[in-house]
Amino acid sequence: MASSSDGASVRAWGRMATAHAAAGDISAFRDATDRCRTLLEHCRDDAPPSLYYFTPEQVSAEAGHALVELAATNPAHTRRLLAEATTLLSPLTDHGPTSGFPRSALLHGIHLAHAHLIARDPDATAATLLQLADRVPAVQSIRCRNLLRRIRRSAGARMRAPDGAPALTAVDRALSTT
């Protein structure tokens, strides 16, 4: 049984997982993510107020993004990693606006669109981009807008699906508004 921990230790393991993913180390990423989740389950109630957002859903969001990045650098495991990323990111993208966190839903949706793009799934990419275009006006994050522009550029070069053009146009229109 894990001992009680403070929120800062949990957050440190979450950051360690992200660092291992950035380094392309799947095994170390999984170990750190598992440790983070275990500690989070046993976290004391006196965690620093600055870590109010660090929930199991946040760990899933960070893990989903990390899995997309790992898929891009580990071609032998791409399909499995992207499937896992999609499983983690889809509910966060779908339920973010209803939970009161539209920026979070947009950010995780951008990572989901990237996963679909890497998986060469134009229909899922288009559907996700259409969903994101509807969310852009509610979010003022420059980071999210820049990430979405980057995905849009990549998608524009790769998408050949019948729904691709309307999705790209919707994203362009959403990004052109302030």
Side-chain angles (χ1 to χ4, degrees), residues 59-130:
V59 175
S60 290
E62 291 181 13
H65 175 211
L67 288 162
V68 174
E69 298 304 317
L70 281 166
T73 59
N74 288 276
H77 304 284
T78 298
R79 178 167 285 170
R80 180 177 49 85
L81 294 169
L82 292 175
E84 189 177 346
T86 299
T87 298
L88 291 172
L89 293 169
S90 292
L92 300 169
T93 301
D94 293 339
H95 301 296
T98 59
S99 68
F101 299 105
R103 180 192 171 278
S104 180
L106 180 62
L107 179 61
H108 305 317
I110 291 166
H111 297 311
L112 180 61
H114 189 201
H116 293 316
L117 196 58
I118 293 171
R120 293 186 173 104
D121 186 342
D123 294 331
T125 303
T128 302
L129 289 174
L130 283 169

Side-chain angles (χ1 to χ4, degrees), residues 4 20 24 32 41 78 85 92-93 105 116 133-134 136 138 158 163 166 168:
S4 293
H20 288 305
E41 289 173 9
T78 298
L92 300 169
T93 301
H116 293 316
D134 290 340
V136 170
R158 297 182 195 175
D163 294 332
L168 297 174

Side-chain angles (χ1 to χ4, degrees), residues 3 16 29 35 53 61 88-89 93 95 99 142 147 150 155 177:
S3 62
M16 184 64 74
F29 159 75
R35 180 78 183 261
Y53 68 92
L88 291 172
L89 293 169
T93 301
H95 301 296
S99 68
I142 292 170
L147 287 170
R150 187 178 320 147
T177 62

